[in-house]
Amino acid sequence: MGDTVDVDLRKLRYFVAVAEESHFGRAAERLHITQPVLSRQIRALEQELRARLFTRSKLSTELTDAGRQLLEDARPLLASAQALRRRVQQAERGASAFTVGFMPGITVTGAVRVFSARHPELDVKVVRTFWEDQVQGVHEGLLDVSFVRLPVDHRGLALRPIFREPRVAALPEQHPLASKESIGIADLAAEQLLQDPDAVPEWRDLPDRIGGEAAGPRPGFRSVEEKLEHVATSGGVVVLPLSTAAYYTHADVAYVPIDDIGPNEVCLAWSADRNSPLMSEFADIAAAQHSLSTDAQP
C-alpha cells in the first residue's frame, strides 16, 4: 500500500494561479495574499506530493514535468469541487433549476419548451456559451447540460450526438474565391486562419509551407463577431458551421461551402458523474426536436 495524500484544494488553487501567471508576485496579487504566504503554500504542496513543481529564477517561473501533469489534473478537480459546492447550495435552498447552455447558431427553443412542459416544477434557463468555454460551465456546475460543437475534450463528460451540419468558409466579399459554388480546404492554404486550429483539425493537415503562417501570428479573438469584422476589414478566413454562418450575416463577408471536409457535429454534454435521468431525457427531446425540424425542411 502506498502513502495516502489528502490534497488541499486551496493549495491546488494557489498552484494553478502561479502556473497560469508564471510569476509568484502576480499570482499573489490575483489571490489577494502575500507572496511569502504563497511561496510557503507551494513548498508545502511540493512536500506533500514529493515532487518539484516549478523551476524558479529571478527572471522566470516555469513548470517542471511534474508541475505540468499536476496542472492538467488540477483544473478538472477544482472545477468538480466547485460544481459540487454549487449543487449542495442549491439543494439547501430548495432550488429547482435546470440550466441549458447553447452555442451561437444552435436553436434550443423547441427542446426547452417541451422539457419545461414536462417539468413545470423546474425553472429552466438558457445560457449562451462560446467556443473557449463551451464545456467549462458543465464541469463547474453552472450548466446542467450544454450543446457543444466537436471537437471537445471528452474527459469527465457524457456526450449524446444531436445533429451534424456542413461547414463553410467566411471570406472577404471581394475575395477571388467568394464567388465559387464550393471550395476545398487546400484552396484556403495561403490564407490566415483567424481561429483556434483545434476548431478546424483539417487545417493542420495542410502542407506547412503554405499553411497561412507567413501571414503572421493568429490574432486573439473571443467572439465570432470580432473574427468576421477582421475578415471584412483585413482579410483572413474563418471556418464556421452552416447554422453559425446563417446566424451571423455580414454584408462584407461571403460564405462559401467547403466540400472536402466532414460536417460539424453538435452533441449534448453533461457531467459523467451525474446520474440524474433529467439529462438523458433532455437529450432525447433535443434529438427528437432536431429530427422534426430536419424532416420539415423542403
Side-chain angles (χ1 to χ4, degrees), residues 104-122:
I106 299 176
T107 301
V108 300
T109 307
V112 169
R113 283 177 176 170
V114 172
F115 186 77
S116 297
R118 290 188 187 180
H119 296 279
E121 77 282 3
L122 293 177

Side-chain angles (χ1 to χ4, degrees), residues 92-208:
E92 171 66 20
R93 295 194 302 267
S96 298
F98 189 88
T99 306
V100 180
F102 69 98
M103 295 280 284
I106 299 176
T107 301
V108 300
T109 307
V112 169
R113 283 177 176 170
V114 172
F115 186 77
S116 297
R118 290 188 187 180
H119 296 279
E121 77 282 3
L122 293 177
D123 178 16
V124 183
K125 303 176 181 179
V126 295
V127 174
R128 176 177 169 175
T129 63
F130 297 89
W131 165 261
E132 294 84 356
D133 65 1
Q134 57 177 329
V135 299
Q136 181 179 341
V138 173
H139 289 310
E140 294 182 354
L142 296 170
L143 306 173
D144 292 287
V145 297
S146 186
F147 288 86
V148 300
R149 295 191 183 277
L150 300 189
V152 298
D153 187 341
H154 291 208
R155 289 177 298 178
L157 296 176
L159 292 171
R160 167 77 177 274
I162 302 297
F163 67 91
R164 293 180 160 196
E165 59 178 327
R167 288 182 285 169
V168 300
L171 294 164
E173 197 264 340
Q174 298 299 326
H175 194 283
L177 296 175
S179 60
K180 299 284 188 181
E181 291 187 5
S182 65
I183 58 176
I185 188 68
D187 294 328
L188 302 171
E191 305 297 328
Q192 184 183 33
L193 186 68
L194 302 180
Q195 66 201 110
D196 187 339
D198 287 344
V200 194
E202 299 85 355
W203 189 265
R204 299 191 185 279
D205 295 331
L206 293 174
D208 289 341

